[in-house]
Amino acid sequence: MFLAALKQRSDVSVSIATGGWRASAMLKLQAAGIKVGNIPLVSCDQHISRTDIMQTAAEQSGFYNSSDTHSICYFGDGQWDQTAAARLGYNFILVGNALNHPQQIDHFENWAPILAFTGLPA
């Protein structure tokens, strides 16, 4: 799984930001078979603003550098994600096809295009 592979990398730090409630996010992740373990998860339980949620998640990842936001990649599926990522200067990667965006993936199975969008070496 892609998330597990990212967690193993020494050049990556991972966190989860969601505009939903923490309990429902955890239920959805569990239902999808995604093990979050010790990955920081920031939700609307902590902040109302999407940008505040995303910035706190970046800070909690342990790899955050406010002067180097271009190295932060945010995977999202909605206009609100794209808008918040642009406001923060994060690299937005669209998951699904709800928007028109040059960096778009349909799923996390083929890692080559994902890594190319992030700028990470394979």
Side-chain angles (χ1 to χ4, degrees), residues 39-108:
I39 298 173
L41 188 147
V42 181
S43 67
C44 71
D45 296 46
Q46 295 161 273
H47 296 288
I48 296 172
S49 161
R50 173 94 37 184
T51 54
D52 288 344
I53 291 168
M54 291 167 61
Q55 193 166 27
T56 300
E59 291 167 357
Q60 289 185 5
S61 74
F63 196 71
Y64 181 72
N65 177 346
S66 61
S67 66
D68 191 23
T69 56
H70 74 277
S71 66
I72 298 174
C73 296
Y74 186 82
F75 293 86
D77 64 353
Q79 182 65 52
W80 49 88
D81 296 314
Q82 185 179 37
T83 300
R87 283 188 186 137
L88 292 169
Y90 295 178
N91 176 20
F92 178 70
I93 300 168
L94 175 65
V95 181
N97 59 4
L99 306 170
N100 183 17
H101 187 70
Q103 294 189 145
Q104 184 270 338
I105 60 171
D106 292 320
H107 47 70
F108 291 91

Side-chain angles (χ1 to χ4, degrees), residues 3 14-30 34-47 52-62:
L3 188 58
V14 177
S15 61
I16 298 172
T18 178
W21 298 108
R22 180 179 184 82
S24 63
M26 294 299 290
L27 184 62
K28 288 178 183 180
L29 290 164
Q30 182 181 5
I34 299 171
K35 297 177 193 230
V36 295
N38 60 355
I39 298 173
L41 188 147
V42 181
S43 67
C44 71
D45 296 46
Q46 295 161 273
H47 296 288
D52 288 344
I53 291 168
M54 291 167 61
Q55 193 166 27
T56 300
E59 291 167 357
Q60 289 185 5
S61 74

